[in-house]
Structure formats: C-alpha cells, structure tokens
Amino acid sequence: MQHFQLVCILSIIAIAHAGGDAKENEAKIAKFVEECRKETNASADDVKTLDLDDFPKTKVQYCLTACYYKKSGIINADDTINIDKALDDIADLKEESKELHDKLEKILRDCNAKYTPTKDCDSIKMYFDCMQKFAKEAGISLEK
C-alpha cells in the first residue's frame, strides 16, 4: 500500500496557494509560520508539527495548523475549507496516480461535507480525524 501523509497533502496545497517562485514561497511560508507561532503562542516544538512527518497533537498545535492553513488559503476567513482550491491543487496528482487522486478527491469531498467550522481550532482537528478515517477506509496509510 502506498505510504501517504495527510499533512503532506495539505502542505502541498498550502505551498501552491502561496504563489510565486520557490524562494518567494519559502519566504511566505516562513512568514506565515512565524505569524501563526506568535498568534497561537506556539513553541518551537509546536512549530515542528507543521513538518511533513508529524500530526498536531495538542490544542496549540491544531490552532497553529489552522492559522497556517488560513493564511495560505486552505481555510477561508469564515473557517470553512476552500474545497475548490484544494481540489484544483491536487489535479496534478491525476497524472502520477489517477487511483490515488480519485481516492484523495473523495476523501476531501466527504470530509468537507462533514466539516463544521468553529472559531476555536476544534474544526481542523475534526477535519484531520475525518481524513484519517476515510483514508484508512480507502487503503491509504497515514502512519509515519
């Protein structure tokens, strides 16, 4: 079974929304992370959860992640998931693996339909939990 990371998916989407060339993207991402670190009072260890190999575990880490996704365009100002942008950003996966793309699209759509935005960062945890559940059902491993 193909090894797959939820955070990787969402980070790819976030980077795509940052726009510009690689150096500009890197600078924007660093700016987003630093702004969110300050806004959420996150520690350096909390910031590491934005790494591709880790998932948020604490409320601060979920809030940091939600802030990052909001600044990068994955989450709208009203705390809803920007599903159209997310789906546009995974379109390139179709060339690499249509099966994986189709499974991922279904997961994104299914979780978006179940997603209830909240202002207290709980909704991003619910979204991650949903994606993990549906990914497991689809045979996509989210384990490290």
Side-chain angles (χ1 to χ4, degrees), residues 4 11 35 39-40 44 64 67 70 73 75 77-78 88-89 111 113 123:
F4 197 73
S11 294
E35 288 172 359
E39 288 175 28
T40 61
L64 175 68
C67 175
K70 195 176 282 190
I75 297 178
D78 64 357
D88 284 347
D89 289 338
C111 291
S123 55

Tab-separated table of all heavy atoms in Angstrom, residues 4 11 35 39-40 44 64 67 70 73 75 77-78 88-89 111 113 123:
chain	number	residue	atom	x	y	z
A	4	PHE	N	1.309	7.438	2.623
A	4	PHE	CA	0.754	8.745	2.288
A	4	PHE	C	0.554	9.561	3.543
A	4	PHE	O	0.130	9.028	4.549
A	4	PHE	CB	-0.593	8.508	1.592
A	4	PHE	CG	-1.088	9.701	0.848
A	4	PHE	CD1	-0.494	10.072	-0.337
A	4	PHE	CD2	-2.137	10.443	1.324
A	4	PHE	CE1	-0.950	11.163	-1.035
A	4	PHE	CE2	-2.602	11.536	0.633
A	4	PHE	CZ	-2.012	11.894	-0.551
A	11	SER	N	0.021	20.454	3.030
A	11	SER	CA	1.152	21.360	2.836
A	11	SER	C	1.395	21.645	1.365
A	11	SER	O	1.728	22.764	0.991
A	11	SER	CB	2.422	20.786	3.473
A	11	SER	OG	2.267	20.743	4.875
A	35	GLU	N	4.131	34.273	11.959
A	35	GLU	CA	2.930	34.997	12.373
A	35	GLU	C	2.017	34.091	13.198
A	35	GLU	O	1.496	34.504	14.238
A	35	GLU	CB	2.165	35.521	11.154
A	35	GLU	CG	2.847	36.674	10.452
A	35	GLU	CD	2.177	37.054	9.134
A	35	GLU	OE1	1.177	36.406	8.730
A	35	GLU	OE2	2.663	38.002	8.481
A	39	GLU	N	0.726	34.315	17.048
A	39	GLU	CA	-0.720	34.402	17.308
A	39	GLU	C	-1.216	33.298	18.231
A	39	GLU	O	-2.178	33.505	18.978
A	39	GLU	CB	-1.494	34.345	15.994
A	39	GLU	CG	-1.371	35.594	15.165
A	39	GLU	CD	-2.061	35.468	13.808
A	39	GLU	OE1	-3.040	34.701	13.691
A	39	GLU	OE2	-1.617	36.146	12.865
A	40	THR	N	-0.586	32.131	18.177
A	40	THR	CA	-1.056	30.987	18.962
A	40	THR	C	-0.181	30.694	20.181
A	40	THR	O	-0.459	29.751	20.916
A	40	THR	CB	-1.111	29.719	18.082
A	40	THR	OG1	0.207	29.424	17.604
A	40	THR	CG2	-2.082	29.890	16.931
A	44	ALA	N	8.662	26.210	19.760
A	44	ALA	CA	9.421	25.674	18.629
A	44	ALA	C	9.011	24.229	18.357
A	44	ALA	O	8.917	23.807	17.199
A	44	ALA	CB	10.916	25.769	18.911
A	64	LEU	N	-2.267	26.318	15.622
A	64	LEU	CA	-1.147	26.722	14.769
A	64	LEU	C	-1.389	26.243	13.337
A	64	LEU	O	-1.236	27.008	12.377
A	64	LEU	CB	0.158	26.135	15.316
A	64	LEU	CG	1.414	26.365	14.487
A	64	LEU	CD1	1.812	27.841	14.493
A	64	LEU	CD2	2.558	25.503	15.024
A	67	CYS	N	-4.265	28.200	11.745
A	67	CYS	CA	-3.787	29.539	11.396
A	67	CYS	C	-2.977	29.488	10.104
A	67	CYS	O	-3.186	30.285	9.181
A	67	CYS	CB	-2.940	30.094	12.531
A	67	CYS	SG	-2.151	31.685	12.180
A	70	LYS	N	-5.156	28.888	7.157
A	70	LYS	CA	-5.965	30.075	6.853
A	70	LYS	C	-5.120	31.094	6.084
A	70	LYS	O	-5.561	31.640	5.075
A	70	LYS	CB	-6.500	30.688	8.147
A	70	LYS	CG	-7.620	31.674	7.921
A	70	LYS	CD	-8.187	32.199	9.229
A	70	LYS	CE	-9.107	31.183	9.830
A	70	LYS	NZ	-9.873	31.696	10.970
A	73	GLY	N	-4.559	29.958	2.501
A	73	GLY	CA	-5.723	29.860	1.622
A	73	GLY	C	-6.474	28.546	1.647
A	73	GLY	O	-7.463	28.390	0.940
A	75	ILE	N	-7.957	27.315	4.335
A	75	ILE	CA	-9.141	27.632	5.136
A	75	ILE	C	-9.523	29.070	4.831
A	75	ILE	O	-8.677	29.970	4.853
A	75	ILE	CB	-8.880	27.443	6.640
A	75	ILE	CG1	-8.566	25.976	6.938
A	75	ILE	CG2	-10.074	27.918	7.456
A	75	ILE	CD1	-8.236	25.689	8.388
A	77	ALA	N	-11.655	32.733	5.391
A	77	ALA	CA	-11.791	33.642	6.531
A	77	ALA	C	-12.933	33.227	7.466
A	77	ALA	O	-12.876	33.463	8.669
A	77	ALA	CB	-12.003	35.071	6.049
A	78	ASP	N	-13.972	32.586	6.908
A	78	ASP	CA	-15.103	32.146	7.741
A	78	ASP	C	-14.877	30.749	8.329
A	78	ASP	O	-15.799	30.129	8.854
A	78	ASP	CB	-16.412	32.185	6.949
A	78	ASP	CG	-16.432	31.216	5.782
A	78	ASP	OD1	-15.408	30.535	5.520
A	78	ASP	OD2	-17.484	31.128	5.122
A	88	ASP	N	-8.341	21.817	-6.947
A	88	ASP	CA	-7.501	22.318	-8.045
A	88	ASP	C	-6.038	21.957	-7.821
A	88	ASP	O	-5.323	21.591	-8.755
A	88	ASP	CB	-7.617	23.838	-8.178
A	88	ASP	CG	-8.914	24.273	-8.833
A	88	ASP	OD1	-9.617	23.423	-9.415
A	88	ASP	OD2	-9.231	25.481	-8.745
A	89	ASP	N	-5.605	22.062	-6.570
A	89	ASP	CA	-4.205	21.836	-6.260
A	89	ASP	C	-3.796	20.373	-6.303
A	89	ASP	O	-2.612	20.075	-6.421
A	89	ASP	CB	-3.853	22.448	-4.903
A	89	ASP	CG	-3.850	23.960	-4.968
A	89	ASP	OD1	-3.703	24.518	-6.076
A	89	ASP	OD2	-3.996	24.595	-3.912
A	111	CYS	N	-15.008	14.652	3.675
A	111	CYS	CA	-14.695	15.355	4.919
A	111	CYS	C	-15.188	16.793	4.879
A	111	CYS	O	-15.641	17.315	5.904
A	111	CYS	CB	-13.207	15.288	5.220
A	111	CYS	SG	-12.685	13.605	5.653
A	113	ALA	N	-17.852	17.767	3.441
A	113	ALA	CA	-19.299	17.686	3.670
A	113	ALA	C	-19.619	17.511	5.154
A	113	ALA	O	-20.665	17.966	5.626
A	113	ALA	CB	-19.883	16.521	2.873
A	123	SER	N	-12.331	22.507	14.736
A	123	SER	CA	-12.770	22.038	13.419
A	123	SER	C	-11.618	21.460	12.610
A	123	SER	O	-11.803	20.485	11.879
A	123	SER	CB	-13.486	23.148	12.653
A	123	SER	OG	-12.697	24.292	12.554
